[in-house]
Amino acid sequence: MNLVKAGAVGFVLLMASGGAAQAQNACLIEGEMMSEAIKDCSETSLKIPAADYAEQCSSNSNGPLKATVLKACPPRAQAKCVGPYGQPVTTYYYARSPKSLADTKSSCTAQRGKWVLQP
């Protein structure tokens, strides 16, 4: 599994940890890793205190990656993965190469998520 795909898996699992449902939270991760542009955003409806959510989000910004907490993910994603591992999480992908997008789709479906192109 390449580093980008591994990061996406860890990102989804981290954002899926928490309690009961409430309004959406979103965490946007942007930057470059291994010569590839990264712009991924995960939304969850899990009830997580704002400070804890911000800490979880920022823990995903390793090295050159920047993490930003938002109310919702930006529009115009290339694809999204809905409900991996049965969790109330949707991850959106924006700046992926065709190969990276194909790898991410495989990762999503392996995690029992629903893959949606150009949501």
Side-chain angles (χ1 to χ4, degrees), residues 27-104:
C27 179
L28 177 65
I29 304 294
E30 299 176 281
E32 189 173 312
M33 185 183 299
M34 298 175 59
S35 301
E36 183 169 351
I38 300 294
K39 184 176 179 184
D40 295 348
C41 185
S42 280
E43 288 181 344
T44 182
S45 58
L46 293 173
K47 184 175 180 148
I48 302 171
D52 291 346
Y53 190 82
E55 184 178 324
Q56 287 179 358
C57 180
S58 67
S59 72
N60 287 294
S61 60
N62 300 339
L65 299 178
K66 175 185 170 194
T68 307
V69 174
L70 306 168
K71 294 279 185 204
C73 291
R76 295 186 291 282
Q78 291 171 288
K80 68 181 178 179
C81 180
V82 180
Y85 298 112
Q87 296 296 316
V89 174
T90 299
T91 302
Y92 296 84
Y93 305 97
Y94 298 89
R96 297 291 180 115
S97 69
K99 168 136 178 44
S100 177
L101 204 58
D103 289 344
T104 304

Side-chain angles (χ1 to χ4, degrees), residues 1 5 9 12-13 80-86 93 101-115:
M1 179 180 336
K5 187 173 14 170
V9 171
V12 168
L13 291 175
K80 68 181 178 179
C81 180
V82 180
Y85 298 112
Y93 305 97
L101 204 58
D103 289 344
T104 304
K105 177 183 180 182
S106 295
S107 179
C108 174
T109 56
Q111 298 166 30
R112 298 182 316 277
K114 178 182 176 191
W115 185 255

